[in-house]
Amino acid sequence: MDAPSRSSGLPRLPRLIAALALFTALFLGTSGVRAESHLLVATYDGVINPVAAEYIHDALASAEAGNAQALIVRLNTPGGLDSSMRLIIQDITGSAIPVIVYVSPSSGRAASAGVFITMAGHVAAMAPGTNIGAAHPVALGGGEPDKTMKEKMENDAAAYLKSIAEQRGRNVAWADDAVRKSLSVTEGEALKLKVVDLVADNIPALLKQLDGRTVALQKGPTVLHTANAAVRDFPMGLRLEFLKTLSDPNIAYLLMTIGTIGLIAELYNPGAILPGVVGAISLILAFYSFQSLPIDYAGVLLFLLGIVFFILEASITSYGLLGIGGAVSMLLGSVMLIKTDVEFLQISWSVILPVVALTAAFSLFMVGMGVRAMRRRPMTGREEMVGLVGVATTALAPRGLFAVHGELWEAVSEQPLQAGTEAEVTRVEGLRLHVKPCSQQQEA
């Protein structure tokens, strides 16, 4: 009886050991996750545009793939495009992890589209010395929209921001006033009005305030454990940094100028190659920039017309009228180029004036050189012989020998010439020169 009882108890020991091993592995694994728990920080400073939407989308995807507790978006923006703003908000709303929008650094702001993005965050925070507001929609097409269109834009923007505020439990009345009355408040006022949830001096202070906070997600509430969490930055990368730079209206304007001048220089100096290559690349980059900007093509045409006037000034005597017309046309085109009343999308006068002056000087110089080169008499080959003066070494009646440029040629004269008579070369046929007496040219 003893042997069977011992054999029946043996299988329990391996099971117990396996259960303990599994429990230990799970405990250590959970401890490892907590020890390695981190938050990802994406910093965006600038206009809300397709680059901003792509960057925040990539940051959120990276945070979710890397099992980050949350994504912190450090935001400083004057506003931007409605389409890009809505893409960002869609990503935040559908996120599987909390998104904390932190208006930073001090003196930063979340204006216009930035208000919508900040209030869409699961947690909205601001740094001291920042402000939020002025969410009134602005037409990027330039000019003041009619009353009906203005009401439609206001109602749409107000309803959208109110729905975001209601979803996040924030001040719905202020959201409506931020759109309709362009209200703007400081971080302290925003906290009192329940526009944002927190005010923190920096990221470490923000993490302390977030620790233990419950955040509502689509999958259910989640609790943040951020006190000892690591913070990792999500860099924008060279590609997006480059595209962000191209989206600047001043950069787009410079690229269009460089591209136009480069192509013109290549046309008037064929074979230079470098101006043509630089010009073509610059124009393509300028066209990329223009696709995210409200371009008025009347401005583009006036700008190009101004450069054409500068070219004509270098080749036609207009006593400065074409040059003045070119400067005026370029100035008008530059002002009209970006069709919007939004300040941060307009081209700066500190860029326009130097560009117009330098373009005028460069165009006149380059085209002038090309025109002078085309008008210069040939210095080599048969064409170089035409116009030279030589001496008949034998009588030309009408054929004989003719010395010119230290060489002896067979020549044909239009009029009989005596040996020793000077004559001018009128044309070259093969190895034969056609000449005429110099006296005839003087009389003519």
Side-chain angles (χ1 to χ4, degrees):
M1 296 296 293
D2 293 338
S5 63
R6 285 197 299 269
S7 62
S8 63
L10 286 175
R12 295 180 181 178
L13 184 59
R15 291 176 183 174
L16 182 60
I17 294 173
L20 288 172
L22 180 60
F23 176 79
T24 303
L26 289 173
F27 175 79
L28 292 176
T30 305
S31 300
V33 169
R34 287 182 180 174
E36 296 175 0
S37 177
H38 69 281
L39 291 89
L40 201 63
V41 177
T43 302
Y44 188 81
D45 187 343
V47 177
I48 301 300
N49 54 25
V51 174
E54 182 178 349
Y55 172 60
I56 294 177
H57 176 82
D58 292 346
L60 188 53
S62 177
E64 292 177 352
N67 295 318
Q69 276 200 61
L71 172 68
I72 299 177
V73 179
R74 295 182 62 186
L75 184 65
N76 178 24
T77 178
L81 302 179
D82 178 81
S83 57
S84 300
M85 174 198 75
R86 290 177 183 263
L87 289 175
I88 294 172
I89 293 174
Q90 287 175 14
D91 284 337
I92 294 174
T93 304
S95 172
I97 62 173
V99 177
I100 298 98
V101 181
Y102 179 42
V103 182
S104 174
S106 181
S107 76
R109 58 176 169 165
S112 190
V115 180
F116 291 76
I117 296 171
T118 302
M119 296 190 73
H122 297 99
V123 179
M126 297 176 69
T130 57
N131 65 279
I132 184 172
H136 190 280
V138 180
L140 293 182
E144 185 70 19
D146 59 53
K147 184 178 179 181
T148 303
M149 181 58 66
K150 185 177 179 180
E151 289 180 356
K152 287 182 178 180
M153 292 168 57
E154 284 185 359
N155 291 336
D156 178 68
Y160 189 41
L161 189 55
K162 285 165 63 179
S163 68
I164 292 172
E166 186 175 358
Q167 182 183 15
R168 299 299 183 213
R170 301 199 175 103
N171 193 326
V172 176
W174 184 89
D176 187 66
D177 289 341
V179 173
R180 300 187 187 278
K181 301 179 182 179
S182 295
L183 291 186
S184 184
V185 293
T186 65
E187 81 288 348
E189 294 170 332
L191 185 61
K192 290 179 182 178
L193 292 170
K194 295 184 179 181
V195 176
V196 297
D197 306 307
L198 304 170
V199 173
D201 293 339
N202 47 43
I203 293 292
L206 178 63
L207 296 183
K208 289 181 180 179
Q209 296 189 54
L210 289 173
D211 189 46
R213 190 181 188 91
T214 302
V215 177
L217 300 175
Q218 287 185 346
K219 63 181 182 181
T222 183
V223 180
L224 294 173
H225 301 282
T226 59
N228 298 316
V231 176
R232 301 176 187 173
D233 289 325
F234 183 79
M236 181 171 285
L238 292 178
R239 173 180 166 273
L240 288 180
E241 286 281 5
F242 179 66
L243 295 179
K244 180 184 175 185
T245 302
L246 289 183
S247 300
D248 188 311
N250 293 303
I251 299 298
Y253 177 67
L254 289 173
L255 287 171
M256 185 181 71
T257 305
I258 294 171
T260 305
I261 293 177
L263 291 183
I264 289 173
E266 181 66 31
L267 290 174
Y268 275 85
N269 297 275
I273 300 177
L274 181 61
V277 171
V278 173
I281 293 174
S282 298
L283 277 181
I284 292 173
L285 293 177
F287 292 150
Y288 169 84
S289 301
F290 287 158
Q291 73 175 355
S292 61
L293 296 171
I295 298 301
D296 187 338
Y297 288 98
V300 175
L301 293 177
L302 280 171
F303 182 87
L304 297 177
L305 181 63
I307 295 179
V308 171
F309 282 161
F310 288 137
I311 295 171
L312 295 176
E313 176 66 31
S315 55
I316 299 174
T317 303
S318 68
Y319 303 102
L321 291 178
L322 287 173
I324 295 172
V328 172
S329 181
M330 275 195 70
L331 279 173
L332 292 175
S334 301
V335 173
M336 296 171 56
L337 186 62
I338 308 295
K339 186 171 57 174
T340 181
D341 295 327
V342 181
E343 182 180 355
F344 57 81
L345 290 180
Q346 293 177 347
I347 303 172
S348 171
W349 279 104
S350 62
V351 175
I352 292 176
L353 295 179
V355 165
V356 172
L358 290 175
T359 301
F362 187 79
S363 299
L364 292 173
F365 175 74
M366 291 298 296
V367 175
M369 287 183 60
V371 171
R372 286 194 294 272
M374 289 188 290
R375 291 177 177 175
R376 189 182 303 145
R377 59 187 306 275
M379 301 300 294
T380 58
R382 295 180 180 179
E383 293 81 2
E384 181 259 344
M385 299 291 293
V386 177
L388 295 180
V389 176
V391 179
T393 57
T394 64
L396 275 66
R399 290 183 172 82
L401 297 179
F402 187 77
V404 62
H405 220 280
E407 300 171 343
L408 198 62
W409 292 74
E410 180 184 358
V412 177
S413 176
E414 298 177 1
Q415 297 179 9
L417 293 176
Q418 298 296 323
T421 305
E422 291 187 346
E424 179 184 351
V425 179
T426 57
R427 70 178 188 274
V428 181
E429 290 183 354
L431 297 178
R432 181 179 299 162
L433 304 181
H434 288 257
V435 299
K436 67 177 179 180
C438 291
S439 56
Q440 177 183 350
Q441 183 186 16
Q442 294 172 355
E443 291 173 4

